[in-house]
Amino acid sequence: MKIKKTILILTSEHKKNKGIDDLKEYLNKYFDDFDVFIIDENQTGGKGAAKRRSDINRFFIQNYGGELSPRAFIEEKIRSFRAEAGIKHSAKSQERVKNAMLRFNPESVLATTPEMLYYAVEAKKREDLSCKVIGLVNSFTFDKRYFNAAADGYIVANMQVKNQITGMGYPSADVKVLGLPMKYASYSTEQVVAAKKELGLADKPTVYLCGGMYGNGNIANIYKLLTDQGEYINLIVDCGQNGRLYNKFLKDAENRKLQNVKIYHNTEETDSLLTASDIVITTYCVDFINNCLLRTLPVIAVSPMDEREEREFSYLEENDLVLYARDTNQVITYMYKIIQDGIGVRLIDGAKLNMNTNSLFDVSNYLTLTVNAD
């Protein structure tokens, strides 16, 4: 019986991270000399802290949004609530990560959050393990929390992130610009029309409005402006985990008998919904935006919650990857520019130029071959 090598992926709630599932599926299919195991925060003993962090994020995103409250107030409140919830390095979580690394004896460890990278690096150091610990920087610009000089390497989305890491004294050869791992998808006009028909929508411009994982309450303003456009567009609305927002939109659509509007809550149909879409309007979510760009869908980014998200949107805008709307009226302006002026073609070309459509192979190849080289 052939003994397989092991890759260990350390992440947050992996069921909400499409890229991690795509990566595991790809490795299992094309690199069958390796077994892949995923450990998330809820499995490391830090479940209570992880849940409190999730609850805090959900509360502020659902209730305050980008324009409903001063940004400084939101940032201060999130910091103080996280501190009260004990959102910091957990000894119990660190111990569980160490035990997982000893149990699985991986050839390589891929850590997708700053906390998990810290735990893995510390475990390797204390137990004198031979595995390679790689950090996957899951953002379009560099978050300094990810930096750990003891990591064996980094996988990043673009040259800007690489330059920021190497600018802190990290070896350039160990920072690989491979993109964020996720499936590349391209659809014909016939497939898009069929997807709309399956949803009961007419063959006309279809807008996907996404409030992110937790359902940013601020998309209510955008929803109103979009539904005021009448029958000119179809509208698909993703309320994330925000049940109150979902009920509000659903009631409104029913009362107004809006046949061209579909409302979803905690949906697992994101891929099929995106196939039916022509334009995406979304709050900040790296995984979701990356998915849209790999589908070459024009994206309008809205409602950053803090300076980091604002920096991400600005980077994407500067590189012709998204249109960044600073207010709700600009959302509508951009939507019509995409539909009527062909600006969406520029965004699609920007995505094709800047996105690595082979990221799944490149990341898998790096984890299985490069990191094991002597």
Side-chain angles (χ1 to χ4, degrees), residues 296-332:
T296 59
L297 280 168
V299 175
I300 301 172
V302 298
S303 299
M305 283 287 290
D306 53 35
E307 290 183 5
R308 182 179 63 84
E309 293 183 8
E310 192 170 27
R311 185 173 67 248
E312 293 268 285
F313 284 171
S314 295
Y315 167 82
L316 292 168
E317 178 185 50
E318 290 165 5
N319 286 273
D320 279 337
L321 290 167
V322 307
L323 295 173
Y324 173 18
R326 270 71 176 182
D327 58 58
T328 50
N329 289 323
Q330 197 173 27
V331 171
I332 303 303

PDB file of all heavy atoms in Angstrom, residues 296-332:
ATOM      1  N   THR A 296     -14.700  36.728 -14.887  1.00  0.00           N
ATOM      2  CA  THR A 296     -14.679  37.938 -15.712  1.00  0.00           C
ATOM      3  C   THR A 296     -16.032  38.656 -15.695  1.00  0.00           C
ATOM      4  O   THR A 296     -16.558  39.049 -16.726  1.00  0.00           O
ATOM      5  CB  THR A 296     -14.225  37.639 -17.164  1.00  0.00           C
ATOM      6  OG1 THR A 296     -15.098  36.691 -17.769  1.00  0.00           O
ATOM      7  CG2 THR A 296     -12.801  37.122 -17.189  1.00  0.00           C
ATOM      8  N   LEU A 297     -16.561  38.839 -14.486  1.00  0.00           N
ATOM      9  CA  LEU A 297     -17.788  39.606 -14.301  1.00  0.00           C
ATOM     10  C   LEU A 297     -17.435  41.026 -13.865  1.00  0.00           C
ATOM     11  O   LEU A 297     -16.610  41.207 -12.965  1.00  0.00           O
ATOM     12  CB  LEU A 297     -18.672  38.962 -13.228  1.00  0.00           C
ATOM     13  CG  LEU A 297     -19.510  37.765 -13.645  1.00  0.00           C
ATOM     14  CD1 LEU A 297     -20.104  37.071 -12.416  1.00  0.00           C
ATOM     15  CD2 LEU A 297     -20.629  38.207 -14.582  1.00  0.00           C
ATOM     16  N   PRO A 298     -18.031  42.055 -14.472  1.00  0.00           N
ATOM     17  CA  PRO A 298     -17.796  43.427 -14.023  1.00  0.00           C
ATOM     18  C   PRO A 298     -18.281  43.601 -12.582  1.00  0.00           C
ATOM     19  O   PRO A 298     -19.394  43.199 -12.240  1.00  0.00           O
ATOM     20  CB  PRO A 298     -18.637  44.274 -14.989  1.00  0.00           C
ATOM     21  CG  PRO A 298     -18.888  43.397 -16.165  1.00  0.00           C
ATOM     22  CD  PRO A 298     -18.938  41.999 -15.637  1.00  0.00           C
ATOM     23  N   VAL A 299     -17.436  44.190 -11.735  1.00  0.00           N
ATOM     24  CA  VAL A 299     -17.738  44.332 -10.312  1.00  0.00           C
ATOM     25  C   VAL A 299     -17.766  45.805  -9.916  1.00  0.00           C
ATOM     26  O   VAL A 299     -16.868  46.571 -10.268  1.00  0.00           O
ATOM     27  CB  VAL A 299     -16.688  43.595  -9.450  1.00  0.00           C
ATOM     28  CG1 VAL A 299     -16.929  43.852  -7.961  1.00  0.00           C
ATOM     29  CG2 VAL A 299     -16.711  42.094  -9.740  1.00  0.00           C
ATOM     30  N   ILE A 300     -18.801  46.179  -9.168  1.00  0.00           N
ATOM     31  CA  ILE A 300     -18.882  47.497  -8.533  1.00  0.00           C
ATOM     32  C   ILE A 300     -18.732  47.257  -7.037  1.00  0.00           C
ATOM     33  O   ILE A 300     -19.535  46.547  -6.432  1.00  0.00           O
ATOM     34  CB  ILE A 300     -20.216  48.201  -8.832  1.00  0.00           C
ATOM     35  CG1 ILE A 300     -20.402  48.371 -10.346  1.00  0.00           C
ATOM     36  CG2 ILE A 300     -20.276  49.556  -8.130  1.00  0.00           C
ATOM     37  CD1 ILE A 300     -21.780  48.894 -10.737  1.00  0.00           C
ATOM     38  N   ALA A 301     -17.687  47.828  -6.432  1.00  0.00           N
ATOM     39  CA  ALA A 301     -17.399  47.632  -5.011  1.00  0.00           C
ATOM     40  C   ALA A 301     -18.008  48.772  -4.196  1.00  0.00           C
ATOM     41  O   ALA A 301     -17.901  49.940  -4.587  1.00  0.00           O
ATOM     42  CB  ALA A 301     -15.897  47.567  -4.786  1.00  0.00           C
ATOM     43  N   VAL A 302     -18.636  48.429  -3.064  1.00  0.00           N
ATOM     44  CA  VAL A 302     -19.334  49.439  -2.258  1.00  0.00           C
ATOM     45  C   VAL A 302     -19.087  49.228  -0.764  1.00  0.00           C
ATOM     46  O   VAL A 302     -18.758  48.136  -0.313  1.00  0.00           O
ATOM     47  CB  VAL A 302     -20.863  49.401  -2.514  1.00  0.00           C
ATOM     48  CG1 VAL A 302     -21.189  49.711  -3.957  1.00  0.00           C
ATOM     49  CG2 VAL A 302     -21.449  48.031  -2.133  1.00  0.00           C
ATOM     50  N   SER A 303     -19.260  50.299   0.000  1.00  0.00           N
ATOM     51  CA  SER A 303     -19.355  50.281   1.467  1.00  0.00           C
ATOM     52  C   SER A 303     -18.213  49.589   2.208  1.00  0.00           C
ATOM     53  O   SER A 303     -18.440  48.626   2.945  1.00  0.00           O
ATOM     54  CB  SER A 303     -20.682  49.636   1.884  1.00  0.00           C
ATOM     55  OG  SER A 303     -21.762  50.376   1.395  1.00  0.00           O
ATOM     56  N   PRO A 304     -16.981  50.078   2.064  1.00  0.00           N
ATOM     57  CA  PRO A 304     -15.904  49.529   2.898  1.00  0.00           C
ATOM     58  C   PRO A 304     -16.166  49.852   4.363  1.00  0.00           C
ATOM     59  O   PRO A 304     -16.675  50.922   4.695  1.00  0.00           O
ATOM     60  CB  PRO A 304     -14.656  50.245   2.384  1.00  0.00           C
ATOM     61  CG  PRO A 304     -15.170  51.529   1.819  1.00  0.00           C
ATOM     62  CD  PRO A 304     -16.514  51.203   1.243  1.00  0.00           C
ATOM     63  N   MET A 305     -15.808  48.916   5.248  1.00  0.00           N
ATOM     64  CA  MET A 305     -16.062  49.106   6.674  1.00  0.00           C
ATOM     65  C   MET A 305     -14.934  49.823   7.390  1.00  0.00           C
ATOM     66  O   MET A 305     -15.118  50.374   8.472  1.00  0.00           O
ATOM     67  CB  MET A 305     -16.288  47.754   7.346  1.00  0.00           C
ATOM     68  CG  MET A 305     -17.654  47.149   7.091  1.00  0.00           C
ATOM     69  SD  MET A 305     -18.946  47.999   7.991  1.00  0.00           S
ATOM     70  CE  MET A 305     -18.569  47.520   9.680  1.00  0.00           C
ATOM     71  N   ASP A 306     -13.711  49.784   6.842  1.00  0.00           N
ATOM     72  CA  ASP A 306     -12.579  50.390   7.527  1.00  0.00           C
ATOM     73  C   ASP A 306     -11.517  50.759   6.498  1.00  0.00           C
ATOM     74  O   ASP A 306     -11.706  50.574   5.290  1.00  0.00           O
ATOM     75  CB  ASP A 306     -12.009  49.449   8.590  1.00  0.00           C
ATOM     76  CG  ASP A 306     -11.681  48.067   8.040  1.00  0.00           C
ATOM     77  OD1 ASP A 306     -11.257  47.974   6.864  1.00  0.00           O
ATOM     78  OD2 ASP A 306     -11.834  47.077   8.774  1.00  0.00           O
ATOM     79  N   GLU A 307     -10.396  51.275   6.972  1.00  0.00           N
ATOM     80  CA  GLU A 307      -9.343  51.736   6.073  1.00  0.00           C
ATOM     81  C   GLU A 307      -8.727  50.593   5.270  1.00  0.00           C
ATOM     82  O   GLU A 307      -8.313  50.780   4.130  1.00  0.00           O
ATOM     83  CB  GLU A 307      -8.257  52.459   6.875  1.00  0.00           C
ATOM     84  CG  GLU A 307      -8.710  53.801   7.430  1.00  0.00           C
ATOM     85  CD  GLU A 307      -7.604  54.531   8.167  1.00  0.00           C
ATOM     86  OE1 GLU A 307      -6.456  54.016   8.165  1.00  0.00           O
ATOM     87  OE2 GLU A 307      -7.887  55.600   8.746  1.00  0.00           O
ATOM     88  N   ARG A 308      -8.643  49.421   5.866  1.00  0.00           N
ATOM     89  CA  ARG A 308      -8.072  48.273   5.144  1.00  0.00           C
ATOM     90  C   ARG A 308      -8.932  47.907   3.948  1.00  0.00           C
ATOM     91  O   ARG A 308      -8.427  47.696   2.837  1.00  0.00           O
ATOM     92  CB  ARG A 308      -7.933  47.068   6.086  1.00  0.00           C
ATOM     93  CG  ARG A 308      -7.307  45.838   5.420  1.00  0.00           C
ATOM     94  CD  ARG A 308      -7.175  44.700   6.414  1.00  0.00           C
ATOM     95  NE  ARG A 308      -8.456  44.249   6.895  1.00  0.00           N
ATOM     96  CZ  ARG A 308      -9.227  43.357   6.255  1.00  0.00           C
ATOM     97  NH1 ARG A 308      -8.830  42.842   5.114  1.00  0.00           N
ATOM     98  NH2 ARG A 308     -10.384  42.984   6.761  1.00  0.00           N
ATOM     99  N   GLU A 309     -10.251  47.828   4.129  1.00  0.00           N
ATOM    100  CA  GLU A 309     -11.146  47.506   3.027  1.00  0.00           C
ATOM    101  C   GLU A 309     -11.136  48.610   1.973  1.00  0.00           C
ATOM    102  O   GLU A 309     -11.184  48.345   0.764  1.00  0.00           O
ATOM    103  CB  GLU A 309     -12.565  47.276   3.553  1.00  0.00           C
ATOM    104  CG  GLU A 309     -12.682  46.028   4.427  1.00  0.00           C
ATOM    105  CD  GLU A 309     -14.100  45.746   4.887  1.00  0.00           C
ATOM    106  OE1 GLU A 309     -15.028  46.436   4.410  1.00  0.00           O
ATOM    107  OE2 GLU A 309     -14.283  44.835   5.717  1.00  0.00           O
ATOM    108  N   GLU A 310     -11.055  49.851   2.428  1.00  0.00           N
ATOM    109  CA  GLU A 310     -10.980  50.974   1.500  1.00  0.00           C
ATOM    110  C   GLU A 310      -9.700  50.895   0.667  1.00  0.00           C
ATOM    111  O   GLU A 310      -9.706  51.163  -0.539  1.00  0.00           O
ATOM    112  CB  GLU A 310     -11.025  52.288   2.286  1.00  0.00           C
ATOM    113  CG  GLU A 310     -11.233  53.521   1.424  1.00  0.00           C
ATOM    114  CD  GLU A 310     -11.510  54.745   2.275  1.00  0.00           C
ATOM    115  OE1 GLU A 310     -11.056  54.795   3.438  1.00  0.00           O
ATOM    116  OE2 GLU A 310     -12.177  55.659   1.764  1.00  0.00           O
ATOM    117  N   ARG A 311      -8.591  50.490   1.300  1.00  0.00           N
ATOM    118  CA  ARG A 311      -7.327  50.332   0.597  1.00  0.00           C
ATOM    119  C   ARG A 311      -7.419  49.211  -0.451  1.00  0.00           C
ATOM    120  O   ARG A 311      -6.893  49.340  -1.562  1.00  0.00           O
ATOM    121  CB  ARG A 311      -6.226  50.022   1.601  1.00  0.00           C
ATOM    122  CG  ARG A 311      -4.831  49.952   1.001  1.00  0.00           C
ATOM    123  CD  ARG A 311      -3.753  49.819   2.071  1.00  0.00           C
ATOM    124  NE  ARG A 311      -3.829  48.538   2.768  1.00  0.00           N
ATOM    125  CZ  ARG A 311      -4.169  48.396   4.044  1.00  0.00           C
ATOM    126  NH1 ARG A 311      -4.479  49.447   4.773  1.00  0.00           N
ATOM    127  NH2 ARG A 311      -4.207  47.193   4.607  1.00  0.00           N
ATOM    128  N   GLU A 312      -8.099  48.127  -0.102  1.00  0.00           N
ATOM    129  CA  GLU A 312      -8.290  47.025  -1.043  1.00  0.00           C
ATOM    130  C   GLU A 312      -9.077  47.480  -2.276  1.00  0.00           C
ATOM    131  O   GLU A 312      -8.705  47.196  -3.417  1.00  0.00           O
ATOM    132  CB  GLU A 312      -9.039  45.880  -0.353  1.00  0.00           C
ATOM    133  CG  GLU A 312      -8.257  45.188   0.746  1.00  0.00           C
ATOM    134  CD  GLU A 312      -7.485  43.991   0.241  1.00  0.00           C
ATOM    135  OE1 GLU A 312      -8.086  42.950  -0.024  1.00  0.00           O
ATOM    136  OE2 GLU A 312      -6.253  44.124   0.093  1.00  0.00           O
ATOM    137  N   PHE A 313     -10.173  48.202  -2.037  1.00  0.00           N
ATOM    138  CA  PHE A 313     -10.998  48.683  -3.149  1.00  0.00           C
ATOM    139  C   PHE A 313     -10.216  49.651  -4.034  1.00  0.00           C
ATOM    140  O   PHE A 313     -10.336  49.620  -5.268  1.00  0.00           O
ATOM    141  CB  PHE A 313     -12.260  49.363  -2.619  1.00  0.00           C
ATOM    142  CG  PHE A 313     -13.317  48.411  -2.118  1.00  0.00           C
ATOM    143  CD1 PHE A 313     -14.430  48.894  -1.436  1.00  0.00           C
ATOM    144  CD2 PHE A 313     -13.215  47.045  -2.325  1.00  0.00           C
ATOM    145  CE1 PHE A 313     -15.412  48.030  -0.978  1.00  0.00           C
ATOM    146  CE2 PHE A 313     -14.187  46.171  -1.866  1.00  0.00           C
ATOM    147  CZ  PHE A 313     -15.293  46.667  -1.192  1.00  0.00           C
ATOM    148  N   SER A 314      -9.431  50.516  -3.410  1.00  0.00           N
ATOM    149  CA  SER A 314      -8.647  51.484  -4.182  1.00  0.00           C
ATOM    150  C   SER A 314      -7.634  50.770  -5.068  1.00  0.00           C
ATOM    151  O   SER A 314      -7.428  51.157  -6.227  1.00  0.00           O
ATOM    152  CB  SER A 314      -7.940  52.462  -3.245  1.00  0.00           C
ATOM    153  OG  SER A 314      -8.877  53.269  -2.541  1.00  0.00           O
ATOM    154  N   TYR A 315      -6.979  49.728  -4.533  1.00  0.00           N
ATOM    155  CA  TYR A 315      -6.033  48.956  -5.336  1.00  0.00           C
ATOM    156  C   TYR A 315      -6.738  48.329  -6.544  1.00  0.00           C
ATOM    157  O   TYR A 315      -6.238  48.403  -7.682  1.00  0.00           O
ATOM    158  CB  TYR A 315      -5.374  47.856  -4.502  1.00  0.00           C
ATOM    159  CG  TYR A 315      -4.638  46.849  -5.359  1.00  0.00           C
ATOM    160  CD1 TYR A 315      -3.346  47.113  -5.812  1.00  0.00           C
ATOM    161  CD2 TYR A 315      -5.257  45.665  -5.761  1.00  0.00           C
ATOM    162  CE1 TYR A 315      -2.686  46.216  -6.636  1.00  0.00           C
ATOM    163  CE2 TYR A 315      -4.601  44.769  -6.591  1.00  0.00           C
ATOM    164  CZ  TYR A 315      -3.320  45.048  -7.024  1.00  0.00           C
ATOM    165  OH  TYR A 315      -2.679  44.163  -7.868  1.00  0.00           O
ATOM    166  N   LEU A 316      -7.878  47.705  -6.303  1.00  0.00           N
ATOM    167  CA  LEU A 316      -8.615  47.050  -7.382  1.00  0.00           C
ATOM    168  C   LEU A 316      -9.068  48.064  -8.434  1.00  0.00           C
ATOM    169  O   LEU A 316      -9.033  47.789  -9.637  1.00  0.00           O
ATOM    170  CB  LEU A 316      -9.822  46.311  -6.806  1.00  0.00           C
ATOM    171  CG  LEU A 316      -9.497  45.090  -5.936  1.00  0.00           C
ATOM    172  CD1 LEU A 316     -10.737  44.612  -5.187  1.00  0.00           C
ATOM    173  CD2 LEU A 316      -8.913  43.961  -6.770  1.00  0.00           C
ATOM    174  N   GLU A 317      -9.478  49.230  -7.975  1.00  0.00           N
ATOM    175  CA  GLU A 317      -9.900  50.287  -8.897  1.00  0.00           C
ATOM    176  C   GLU A 317      -8.723  50.781  -9.737  1.00  0.00           C
ATOM    177  O   GLU A 317      -8.843  50.941 -10.962  1.00  0.00           O
ATOM    178  CB  GLU A 317     -10.497  51.440  -8.100  1.00  0.00           C
ATOM    179  CG  GLU A 317     -10.942  52.623  -8.962  1.00  0.00           C
ATOM    180  CD  GLU A 317     -11.416  53.783  -8.110  1.00  0.00           C
ATOM    181  OE1 GLU A 317     -10.691  54.173  -7.167  1.00  0.00           O
ATOM    182  OE2 GLU A 317     -12.500  54.310  -8.390  1.00  0.00           O
ATOM    183  N   GLU A 318      -7.583  51.018  -9.092  1.00  0.00           N
ATOM    184  CA  GLU A 318      -6.402  51.533  -9.792  1.00  0.00           C
ATOM    185  C   GLU A 318      -5.910  50.560 -10.856  1.00  0.00           C
ATOM    186  O   GLU A 318      -5.298  50.983 -11.852  1.00  0.00           O
ATOM    187  CB  GLU A 318      -5.289  51.814  -8.788  1.00  0.00           C
ATOM    188  CG  GLU A 318      -5.568  53.014  -7.884  1.00  0.00           C
ATOM    189  CD  GLU A 318      -4.648  53.052  -6.679  1.00  0.00           C
ATOM    190  OE1 GLU A 318      -3.731  52.193  -6.607  1.00  0.00           O
ATOM    191  OE2 GLU A 318      -4.855  53.912  -5.809  1.00  0.00           O
ATOM    192  N   ASN A 319      -6.177  49.284 -10.675  1.00  0.00           N
ATOM    193  CA  ASN A 319      -5.733  48.267 -11.627  1.00  0.00           C
ATOM    194  C   ASN A 319      -6.840  47.822 -12.579  1.00  0.00           C
ATOM    195  O   ASN A 319      -6.740  46.771 -13.215  1.00  0.00           O
ATOM    196  CB  ASN A 319      -5.162  47.064 -10.872  1.00  0.00           C
ATOM    197  CG  ASN A 319      -3.798  47.353 -10.284  1.00  0.00           C
ATOM    198  OD1 ASN A 319      -2.775  47.195 -10.941  1.00  0.00           O
ATOM    199  ND2 ASN A 319      -3.768  47.804  -9.037  1.00  0.00           N
ATOM    200  N   ASP A 320      -7.878  48.650 -12.689  1.00  0.00           N
ATOM    201  CA  ASP A 320      -8.981  48.382 -13.629  1.00  0.00           C
ATOM    202  C   ASP A 320      -9.637  47.027 -13.409  1.00  0.00           C
ATOM    203  O   ASP A 320     -10.035  46.343 -14.359  1.00  0.00           O
ATOM    204  CB  ASP A 320      -8.496  48.477 -15.078  1.00  0.00           C
ATOM    205  CG  ASP A 320      -8.428  49.918 -15.563  1.00  0.00           C
ATOM    206  OD1 ASP A 320      -9.133  50.771 -14.993  1.00  0.00           O
ATOM    207  OD2 ASP A 320      -7.666  50.201 -16.506  1.00  0.00           O
ATOM    208  N   LEU A 321      -9.751  46.633 -12.137  1.00  0.00           N
ATOM    209  CA  LEU A 321     -10.397  45.361 -11.815  1.00  0.00           C
ATOM    210  C   LEU A 321     -11.834  45.557 -11.352  1.00  0.00           C
ATOM    211  O   LEU A 321     -12.679  44.674 -11.557  1.00  0.00           O
ATOM    212  CB  LEU A 321      -9.588  44.631 -10.743  1.00  0.00           C
ATOM    213  CG  LEU A 321      -8.231  44.094 -11.208  1.00  0.00           C
ATOM    214  CD1 LEU A 321      -7.384  43.671 -10.019  1.00  0.00           C
ATOM    215  CD2 LEU A 321      -8.423  42.923 -12.157  1.00  0.00           C
ATOM    216  N   VAL A 322     -12.111  46.668 -10.695  1.00  0.00           N
ATOM    217  CA  VAL A 322     -13.474  46.966 -10.249  1.00  0.00           C
ATOM    218  C   VAL A 322     -13.732  48.451 -10.428  1.00  0.00           C
ATOM    219  O   VAL A 322     -12.820  49.246 -10.634  1.00  0.00           O
ATOM    220  CB  VAL A 322     -13.700  46.600  -8.753  1.00  0.00           C
ATOM    221  CG1 VAL A 322     -13.301  45.170  -8.457  1.00  0.00           C
ATOM    222  CG2 VAL A 322     -12.961  47.573  -7.834  1.00  0.00           C
ATOM    223  N   LEU A 323     -15.016  48.823 -10.319  1.00  0.00           N
ATOM    224  CA  LEU A 323     -15.409  50.213 -10.170  1.00  0.00           C
ATOM    225  C   LEU A 323     -15.749  50.406  -8.697  1.00  0.00           C
ATOM    226  O   LEU A 323     -16.541  49.647  -8.140  1.00  0.00           O
ATOM    227  CB  LEU A 323     -16.620  50.533 -11.047  1.00  0.00           C
ATOM    228  CG  LEU A 323     -16.396  50.429 -12.558  1.00  0.00           C
ATOM    229  CD1 LEU A 323     -17.720  50.604 -13.299  1.00  0.00           C
ATOM    230  CD2 LEU A 323     -15.380  51.460 -13.035  1.00  0.00           C
ATOM    231  N   TYR A 324     -15.150  51.380  -8.073  1.00  0.00           N
ATOM    232  CA  TYR A 324     -15.343  51.611  -6.639  1.00  0.00           C
ATOM    233  C   TYR A 324     -16.310  52.788  -6.459  1.00  0.00           C
ATOM    234  O   TYR A 324     -15.962  53.934  -6.726  1.00  0.00           O
ATOM    235  CB  TYR A 324     -13.984  51.881  -5.991  1.00  0.00           C
ATOM    236  CG  TYR A 324     -13.992  52.304  -4.544  1.00  0.00           C
ATOM    237  CD1 TYR A 324     -15.105  52.104  -3.720  1.00  0.00           C
ATOM    238  CD2 TYR A 324     -12.866  52.892  -3.980  1.00  0.00           C
ATOM    239  CE1 TYR A 324     -15.091  52.494  -2.398  1.00  0.00           C
ATOM    240  CE2 TYR A 324     -12.845  53.279  -2.644  1.00  0.00           C
ATOM    241  CZ  TYR A 324     -13.958  53.088  -1.867  1.00  0.00           C
ATOM    242  OH  TYR A 324     -13.946  53.481  -0.558  1.00  0.00           O
ATOM    243  N   ALA A 325     -17.519  52.500  -6.031  1.00  0.00           N
ATOM    244  CA  ALA A 325     -18.549  53.514  -5.836  1.00  0.00           C
ATOM    245  C   ALA A 325     -18.470  54.082  -4.430  1.00  0.00           C
ATOM    246  O   ALA A 325     -18.606  53.347  -3.453  1.00  0.00           O
ATOM    247  CB  ALA A 325     -19.928  52.928  -6.094  1.00  0.00           C
ATOM    248  N   ARG A 326     -18.248  55.397  -4.338  1.00  0.00           N
ATOM    249  CA  ARG A 326     -18.123  56.032  -3.025  1.00  0.00           C
ATOM    250  C   ARG A 326     -19.471  56.328  -2.378  1.00  0.00           C
ATOM    251  O   ARG A 326     -19.549  56.584  -1.180  1.00  0.00           O
ATOM    252  CB  ARG A 326     -17.328  57.332  -3.135  1.00  0.00           C
ATOM    253  CG  ARG A 326     -15.821  57.183  -2.945  1.00  0.00           C
ATOM    254  CD  ARG A 326     -15.159  56.496  -4.103  1.00  0.00           C
ATOM    255  NE  ARG A 326     -13.688  56.460  -3.930  1.00  0.00           N
ATOM    256  CZ  ARG A 326     -12.862  55.950  -4.812  1.00  0.00           C
ATOM    257  NH1 ARG A 326     -13.334  55.401  -5.943  1.00  0.00           N
ATOM    258  NH2 ARG A 326     -11.563  55.932  -4.594  1.00  0.00           N
ATOM    259  N   ASP A 327     -20.552  56.319  -3.149  1.00  0.00           N
ATOM    260  CA  ASP A 327     -21.890  56.520  -2.580  1.00  0.00           C
ATOM    261  C   ASP A 327     -22.898  55.748  -3.420  1.00  0.00           C
ATOM    262  O   ASP A 327     -22.581  55.230  -4.498  1.00  0.00           O
ATOM    263  CB  ASP A 327     -22.254  58.009  -2.509  1.00  0.00           C
ATOM    264  CG  ASP A 327     -22.199  58.691  -3.879  1.00  0.00           C
ATOM    265  OD1 ASP A 327     -22.904  58.244  -4.804  1.00  0.00           O
ATOM    266  OD2 ASP A 327     -21.437  59.669  -4.025  1.00  0.00           O
ATOM    267  N   THR A 328     -24.120  55.665  -2.923  1.00  0.00           N
ATOM    268  CA  THR A 328     -25.129  54.825  -3.584  1.00  0.00           C
ATOM    269  C   THR A 328     -25.539  55.364  -4.947  1.00  0.00           C
ATOM    270  O   THR A 328     -25.842  54.587  -5.860  1.00  0.00           O
ATOM    271  CB  THR A 328     -26.373  54.679  -2.687  1.00  0.00           C
ATOM    272  OG1 THR A 328     -26.798  55.968  -2.242  1.00  0.00           O
ATOM    273  CG2 THR A 328     -26.061  53.830  -1.469  1.00  0.00           C
ATOM    274  N   ASN A 329     -25.563  56.674  -5.115  1.00  0.00           N
ATOM    275  CA  ASN A 329     -25.926  57.226  -6.423  1.00  0.00           C
ATOM    276  C   ASN A 329     -24.893  56.855  -7.476  1.00  0.00           C
ATOM    277  O   ASN A 329     -25.237  56.602  -8.639  1.00  0.00           O
ATOM    278  CB  ASN A 329     -26.065  58.748  -6.339  1.00  0.00           C
ATOM    279  CG  ASN A 329     -27.301  59.167  -5.565  1.00  0.00           C
ATOM    280  OD1 ASN A 329     -28.346  58.527  -5.649  1.00  0.00           O
ATOM    281  ND2 ASN A 329     -27.194  60.245  -4.807  1.00  0.00           N
ATOM    282  N   GLN A 330     -23.621  56.797  -7.077  1.00  0.00           N
ATOM    283  CA  GLN A 330     -22.562  56.430  -8.011  1.00  0.00           C
ATOM    284  C   GLN A 330     -22.707  54.973  -8.442  1.00  0.00           C
ATOM    285  O   GLN A 330     -22.298  54.599  -9.544  1.00  0.00           O
ATOM    286  CB  GLN A 330     -21.199  56.670  -7.372  1.00  0.00           C
ATOM    287  CG  GLN A 330     -20.058  56.711  -8.366  1.00  0.00           C
ATOM    288  CD  GLN A 330     -18.751  57.124  -7.733  1.00  0.00           C
ATOM    289  OE1 GLN A 330     -18.514  56.922  -6.538  1.00  0.00           O
ATOM    290  NE2 GLN A 330     -17.855  57.696  -8.527  1.00  0.00           N
ATOM    291  N   VAL A 331     -23.304  54.142  -7.586  1.00  0.00           N
ATOM    292  CA  VAL A 331     -23.552  52.742  -7.953  1.00  0.00           C
ATOM    293  C   VAL A 331     -24.408  52.678  -9.205  1.00  0.00           C
ATOM    294  O   VAL A 331     -24.108  51.929 -10.154  1.00  0.00           O
ATOM    295  CB  VAL A 331     -24.243  51.988  -6.797  1.00  0.00           C
ATOM    296  CG1 VAL A 331     -24.687  50.608  -7.263  1.00  0.00           C
ATOM    297  CG2 VAL A 331     -23.322  51.859  -5.599  1.00  0.00           C
ATOM    298  N   ILE A 332     -25.479  53.451  -9.224  1.00  0.00           N
ATOM    299  CA  ILE A 332     -26.395  53.441 -10.370  1.00  0.00           C
ATOM    300  C   ILE A 332     -25.708  53.998 -11.606  1.00  0.00           C
ATOM    301  O   ILE A 332     -25.854  53.466 -12.716  1.00  0.00           O
ATOM    302  CB  ILE A 332     -27.668  54.239 -10.047  1.00  0.00           C
ATOM    303  CG1 ILE A 332     -28.352  53.682  -8.802  1.00  0.00           C
ATOM    304  CG2 ILE A 332     -28.623  54.206 -11.235  1.00  0.00           C
ATOM    305  CD1 ILE A 332     -28.724  52.218  -8.882  1.00  0.00           C
TER     306      ILE A 332
END
